[in-house]
């Protein structure tokens, strides 16, 4: 199955899985550098004429200029194949390969909603080195094989939210999307014996997940013993149930916490730990800002 968009020309060859650049990879990348509209590591959505009314067309000289295409695709650069052939597994592994590359990778078709990064590691802060990509794909393939169809759909959904959620324009939308990722991990883990028997409130889920996977608990996930809630849950409840963000209507206030850095990092650690990726990143500080290697063992 073809997919894109990826600048890297590396390949992976395993007994039942192969990832390789397409023959015209070099030509595609050359054309990308000549024609793409980019900003700070992101590909900008194509501009198209926006729909206008007859009155607007009559009154305004520049009516309809500057519209952005709602759904668009990027050229395929690579191909992933599994043996025996299995399109569902290929689609799943393309998402997973995107995780280790730190990019949202997708099969051909109108897959992208907003801007999409082209710089490796843009959505994770992690760069694959050495055999990271090969080890990760092997791990994800094993995860797919041992999971039920229902679990596979859940895992693919939370990966999709992790990628697409970071492309949203506004902080509250990114927050809402990444909270869904945390909740998605909870829905997969809560049936496990170590958690199933415990009574866990909604507010306790992030810290319980961190403890279960041996992660450091971000300050905004720590339970306030007097209120029995955490900052993350408070923000989520206000946004979902009261149409407020940080105590105000959206756009009027933003949290002091650096959620644009720490919430994606927490979600990524939960995904990585759940999928079985053994990497030193799992023990990184919640506020770590530097770019790291995966160093998967």
């Amino acid at each position: 199955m073809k997919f894109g968009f990826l600048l890297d020309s590396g390949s992976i060859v395993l007994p039942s899985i192969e990832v390789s650049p397409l023959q015209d990879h070099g030509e595609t990348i050359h054309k990308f550098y000549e024609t793409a509209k980019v900003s700070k590591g992101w590909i900008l959505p194509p501009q198209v004429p926006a729909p206008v009314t007859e009155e607007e067309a009559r009154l305004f000289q520049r009516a309809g200029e500057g519209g952005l295409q709602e759904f668009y695709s990027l050229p395929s650069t690579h191909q992933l194949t599994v043996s025996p052939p299995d399109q569902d597994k290929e689609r799943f592994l393309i998402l997973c390969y995107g995780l280790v590359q730190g990019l949202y990778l997708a099969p051909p078709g109108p897959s992208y909603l907003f801007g999409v990064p082209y710089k490796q590691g843009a959505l994770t802060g992690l760069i694959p080195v050495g055999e990271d990509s090969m080890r990760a794909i092997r791990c994800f393939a094993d995860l797919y094989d041992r999971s039920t169809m229902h679990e596979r759909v859940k895992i693919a959904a939370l990966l999709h939210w992790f990628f697409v959620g970071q492309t949203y324009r506004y902080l509250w939308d990114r927050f809402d999307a990444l909270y869904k990722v945390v909740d998605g991990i909870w829905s997969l883990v809560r049936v496990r014996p170590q958690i199933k028997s415990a009574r866990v409130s909604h507010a306790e889920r992030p810290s319980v997940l961190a403890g279960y996977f041996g992660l450091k608990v971000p300050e905004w996930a720590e339970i306030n013993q007097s209120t029995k809630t955490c900052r993350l849950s408070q923000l989520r409840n206000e946004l979902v149930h009261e149409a407020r963000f940080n105590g105000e209507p959206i756009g009027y206030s933003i949290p002091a916490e650096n959620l644009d850095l720490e919430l994606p990092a927490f979600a990524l650690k939960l995904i990585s730990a759940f999928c079985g990726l053994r990497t030193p990143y799992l023990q990184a500080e919640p506020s770590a800002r530097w770019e790291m290697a995966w160093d998967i063992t």
Side-chain angles (χ1 to χ4, degrees):
M1 182 176 291
K2 294 180 180 180
F3 69 91
F5 176 81
L6 183 59
L7 294 175
D8 182 68
S9 59
S11 60
I12 296 175
V13 180
L14 294 170
S16 60
I17 305 168
E18 182 173 349
V19 179
S20 58
L22 298 175
Q23 286 188 341
D24 62 351
H25 180 270
E27 180 181 340
T28 301
I29 301 307
H30 179 72
K31 186 175 181 180
F32 169 74
Y33 283 123
E34 286 186 334
T35 62
K37 295 182 178 179
V38 302
S39 174
K40 297 182 178 180
W42 289 68
I43 304 170
L44 303 178
Q47 284 195 327
V48 294
V52 297
T53 65
E54 291 184 6
E55 181 183 32
E56 288 170 335
R58 186 178 70 254
L59 294 175
F60 296 91
Q61 293 185 11
R62 305 186 65 177
E65 288 185 12
L68 298 178
Q69 191 166 323
E70 292 184 359
F71 300 95
Y72 65 100
S73 60
L74 293 171
S76 295
T77 55
H78 288 68
Q79 182 160 322
L80 185 148
T81 57
V82 300
S83 179
D86 185 334
Q87 287 196 346
D88 289 336
K89 188 173 184 178
E90 288 171 351
R91 288 182 179 275
F92 182 87
L93 290 179
I94 287 170
L95 277 175
C96 296
Y97 191 64
L99 187 74
V100 75
Q101 297 292 328
L103 298 168
Y104 177 30
L105 304 179
S111 305
Y112 302 104
L113 306 179
F114 307 105
V116 59
Y118 66 88
K119 186 179 179 182
Q120 195 178 47
L123 297 179
T124 59
L126 298 176
I127 303 298
V129 297
E131 296 186 351
D132 280 345
S133 296
M134 181 179 296
R135 290 170 178 167
I137 283 294
R138 187 184 292 119
C139 183
F140 286 124
D142 290 343
L143 173 68
Y144 183 91
D145 292 340
R146 68 174 183 266
S147 300
T148 66
M149 181 59 70
H150 185 59
E151 290 169 335
R152 293 168 185 170
V153 171
K154 281 189 173 184
I155 297 166
L158 64 89
L159 284 170
H160 178 82
W161 273 109
F162 177 77
F163 294 131
V164 175
Q166 294 185 72
T167 72
Y168 286 134
R169 184 173 182 180
Y170 299 112
L171 172 60
W172 48 87
D173 290 324
R174 296 192 294 272
F175 172 89
D176 183 59
L178 288 163
Y179 194 96
K180 288 180 172 66
V181 176
V182 177
D183 246 8
I185 292 290
W186 175 259
S187 73
L188 289 162
V189 171
R190 67 181 178 183
V191 298
R192 295 184 176 179
Q194 302 94 317
I195 292 181
K196 188 175 182 180
S197 59
R199 298 183 63 181
V200 180
S201 68
H202 203 288
E204 292 173 316
R205 291 178 184 179
S207 57
V208 169
L209 283 172
Y212 178 76
F213 288 119
L215 310 177
K216 296 179 181 178
V217 182
E219 289 186 9
W220 38 259
E222 294 176 351
I223 294 294
N224 183 314
Q225 294 305 318
S226 61
T227 62
K228 302 302 181 183
T229 189
C230 69
R231 175 65 170 154
L232 184 70
S233 181
Q234 178 191 15
L235 287 167
R236 180 261 182 190
N237 291 341
E238 283 187 355
L239 181 62
V240 173
H241 300 299
E242 302 174 15
R244 295 187 298 154
F245 192 56
N246 201 44
E248 300 287 346
I250 58 172
Y252 282 79
S253 179
I254 60 173
E257 298 85 357
N258 192 349
L259 293 170
D260 251 349
L261 170 73
E262 296 183 18
L263 186 53
F266 184 63
L268 175 61
K269 289 171 185 172
L270 290 178
I271 293 171
S272 302
F274 173 82
C275 294
L277 297 179
R278 295 191 296 271
T279 165
Y281 177 67
L282 296 179
Q283 297 307 313
E285 292 294 329
S287 59
R289 299 170 183 269
W290 55 89
E291 195 174 79
M292 300 174 62
W294 276 98
D295 280 332
I296 298 171
T297 57

